[in-house]
């Protein structure tokens, strides 16, 4: 089964045919009850599948050298899951570290396990004890977000290489000006626009309105005119569609478009991606637009302002300017005035001896 989902049609990833039934139930709970985003559900699916593949080896259901993709987990039942203990959780996290999983990846895996076993223990009462209770890996060190500078952003927009230029230029313009997520961009419909705003459906199906600046409005107007002339429109409500098939662009296709544009701008191989364009939008708004944290929080669709505050740590230009604004910053070194060196030494000596 593919580990990549269609964020617009997440049902295409279901049903989950290679994991225990209890895990399937939990993923459906996340989807329909908790209304987690398709990407979140998919991430939990991958982490839980990895854990139970590890447990299948520990339970000697398969050999240690078995191909993980060939391990059948469907036979694992509630009784076996109830036998899992805290030691098993620690062993899996240690295994993950041995597999070069960093602290953030291990914390994510623990979060998936904590959610699943919490569900089994408190929501459906299928197990008596939660083996993840009181397990903590500490707070992972937050890495500063990677972003394009203003000059790099301009270079990217100048070097769009595409057979559908207006569409791809519009995609980059929205990323760099609105700070939307990849899943949010591909799910945009024509009906989501009103006056100079766009309705964005973010994580947890939460909606927010983002104002469009003149660059976005011009790019959208130019693209919509070309889009309307496509002879084979299939997904008529979708904003971004394929020129060849007329269907809504997938997240993977947008990633490829961004990668190609980065390459033509000489910015490939530097770790940039659609999500880094989101970071870029937030950074440039903060650095050049005097945008406060609460406003930036609403634009980005963050649930807590603490998530947004990471952008306060990347404004090096403002930090430099603040230091240089000190009234003492212009003081220059001046040589000492001539004095009697012997008299100075004698005075110092008297201070040292307490005379």
């Amino acid at each position: 089964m593919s580990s990549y989902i269609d964020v617009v049609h997440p049902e295409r990833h279901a049903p989950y045919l290679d994991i225990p039934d209890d895990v399937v139930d939990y993923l459906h709970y996340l989807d329909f009850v908790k209304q987690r985003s398709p990407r979140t559900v998919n991430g939990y699916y991958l982490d839980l599948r990895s854990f139970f593949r590890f447990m299948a080896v520990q339970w000697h259901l398969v050999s240690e050298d078995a191909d993980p993709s060939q391990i059948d987990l469907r036979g694992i039942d509630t009784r076996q899951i109830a036998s899992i203990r805290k030691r098993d959780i620690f062993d899996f996290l240690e295994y993950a570290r041995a597999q070069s999983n960093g602290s953030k990846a291990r914390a994510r895996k623990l979060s998936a396990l904590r959610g699943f076993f919490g569900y089994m223990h408190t929501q459906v009462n299928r197990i008596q004890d939660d083996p993840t209770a009181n397990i903590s890996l500490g707070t992972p060190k937050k890495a500063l977000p990677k972003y394009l500078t203003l000059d790099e952003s301009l270079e990217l927009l100048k070097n769009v290489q595409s057979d559908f230029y207006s569409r791809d230029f519009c995609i980059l313009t929205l990323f760099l000006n609105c700070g939307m997520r990849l899943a949010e961009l591909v799910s945009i419909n024509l009906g989501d626009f009103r006056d100079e705003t766009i309705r964005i459906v973010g994580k947890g199906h939460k909606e927010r309105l983002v104002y469009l600046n003149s660059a976005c409005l011009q790019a959208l107007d130019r693209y919509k005119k070309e889009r309307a002339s496509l002879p084979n429109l299939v997904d008529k409500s979708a904003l971004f569609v394929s020129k060849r098939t007329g269907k809504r662009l997938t997240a993977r296709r947008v990633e490829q478009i961004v990668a190609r544009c980065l390459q033509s701008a000489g910015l490939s191989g530097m770790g940039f991606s659609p999500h880094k364009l989101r970071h870029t939008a937030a950074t440039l708004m903060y650095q050049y637009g005097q945008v406060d944290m609460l406003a930036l929080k609403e634009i980005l669709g963050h649930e807590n302002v603490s998530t947004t505050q990471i952008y306060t740590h990347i404004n090096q230009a403002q930090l430099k300017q603040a230091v240089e604004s000190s009234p003492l910053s212009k003081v220059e070194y001046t040589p000492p005035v001539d004095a009697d060196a012997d008299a100075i030494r004698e005075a110092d000596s008297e201070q040292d001896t307490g005379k």
Side-chain angles (χ1 to χ4, degrees):
M1 178 180 293
S2 170
S3 63
Y4 199 93
I5 61 171
D6 187 327
V7 297
V8 180
H9 303 288
E11 69 275 4
R12 294 178 184 170
H13 197 288
Y16 298 96
L17 299 176
D18 56 351
I19 51 178
D21 289 342
D22 285 317
V23 181
V24 174
D25 291 345
Y26 172 60
L27 297 178
H28 289 162
Y29 167 78
L30 289 179
D31 187 7
F32 300 114
V33 178
K34 302 296 287 185
Q35 294 192 324
R36 296 291 187 253
S37 74
R39 284 183 177 274
T40 297
V41 177
N42 191 60
Y44 275 52
Y45 155 68
L46 294 175
D47 286 334
L48 292 170
R49 184 181 66 177
S50 176
F51 171 73
F52 280 105
R53 284 175 173 174
F54 170 80
M55 290 306 303
V57 174
Q58 304 307 303
W59 286 328
H60 304 293
L61 301 178
V62 296
S63 63
E64 292 187 4
D65 58 352
D67 181 353
S69 64
Q70 300 302 313
I71 298 176
D72 188 354
L73 304 174
R74 291 172 296 178
I76 296 175
D77 58 22
T78 304
R79 178 187 56 80
Q80 289 170 295
I81 293 175
S83 72
I84 294 171
R85 296 292 177 259
K86 198 178 295 286
R87 182 71 260 167
D88 298 314
I89 306 298
F90 282 123
D91 288 345
F92 172 68
L93 295 173
E94 182 60 32
Y95 165 79
R97 182 166 64 175
Q99 297 298 310
S100 300
N101 281 205
S103 59
K104 289 184 67 175
R106 296 198 305 276
R108 189 196 66 237
K109 284 177 166 56
L110 177 58
S111 178
L113 292 171
R114 188 180 287 121
F116 170 69
F117 284 105
Y119 161 83
M120 291 288 287
H121 176 56
T122 63
Q123 293 294 324
V124 293
N125 300 313
R126 295 180 188 172
I127 60 176
Q128 186 173 358
D129 299 303
D130 178 357
T132 65
N134 301 318
I135 293 180
S136 174
L137 297 178
T139 303
K141 183 179 179 181
K142 287 188 176 181
L144 295 180
K146 189 177 181 64
Y147 62 94
L148 281 73
T149 64
L150 176 59
D151 288 340
E152 289 171 336
S153 301
L154 293 171
E155 197 66 22
L156 177 60
L157 291 169
K158 289 178 186 176
N159 288 277
V160 177
Q161 300 293 326
S162 170
D163 61 350
F164 203 165
Y165 179 89
S166 64
R167 181 199 64 190
D168 297 351
F169 182 86
C170 186
I171 287 173
L172 294 176
T173 299
L174 290 183
F175 272 139
L176 290 170
N177 284 275
C178 299
M180 60 185 65
R181 301 177 177 91
L182 174 60
E184 294 170 349
L185 180 127
V186 298
S187 63
I188 295 174
N189 292 321
L190 293 175
D192 292 332
F193 296 93
R194 178 169 296 180
D195 298 327
E196 297 181 353
T197 66
I198 178 174
R199 180 184 70 96
I200 296 177
V201 181
K203 288 185 176 181
H205 303 286
K206 294 179 180 177
E207 298 182 5
R208 67 185 188 275
L209 281 181
V210 174
Y211 283 87
L212 300 168
N213 59 26
S214 58
C216 293
L217 293 171
Q218 290 176 14
L220 283 164
D221 183 62
R222 193 179 303 114
Y223 164 60
K224 285 180 181 179
K225 289 177 180 177
E226 289 197 36
R227 177 192 175 284
S229 64
L230 293 177
N232 58 340
L233 269 178
V234 176
D235 292 330
K236 299 184 183 300
S237 63
L239 174 63
F240 292 115
V241 296
S242 166
K243 186 176 184 179
R244 181 177 60 85
T245 67
K247 296 181 179 180
R248 185 189 297 269
L249 290 184
T250 64
R252 181 63 189 138
R253 181 67 186 118
V254 172
E255 288 176 332
Q256 292 170 342
I257 291 170
V258 170
R260 185 182 62 237
C261 293
L262 286 166
Q263 183 177 23
S264 61
L267 297 169
S268 62
M270 301 171 66
F272 296 129
S273 64
H275 199 68
K276 300 304 183 289
L277 301 188
R278 169 175 161 84
H279 288 322
T280 299
T283 302
L284 297 183
M285 277 186 256
Y286 182 73
Q287 287 184 335
Y288 296 94
Q290 307 297 320
V291 179
D292 64 44
M293 285 296 104
L294 290 178
L296 198 56
K297 168 184 173 293
E298 294 301 318
I299 293 171
L300 297 176
H302 287 160
E303 188 163 343
N304 298 305
V305 73
S306 59
T307 308
T308 317
Q309 285 175 336
I310 191 170
Y311 295 104
T312 64
H313 302 299
I314 58 181
N315 199 344
Q316 301 300 320
Q318 286 187 0
L319 293 177
K320 180 181 179 182
Q321 182 181 1
V323 173
E324 291 182 345
S325 67
S326 167
L328 301 178
S329 65
K330 304 301 181 185
V331 176
E332 297 181 357
Y333 170 81
T334 55
V337 297
D338 292 336
D340 188 332
D342 291 335
I344 293 174
R345 282 195 293 271
E346 182 178 345
D348 290 343
S349 177
E350 290 179 354
Q351 289 181 351
D352 291 340
T353 59
K355 293 180 179 179

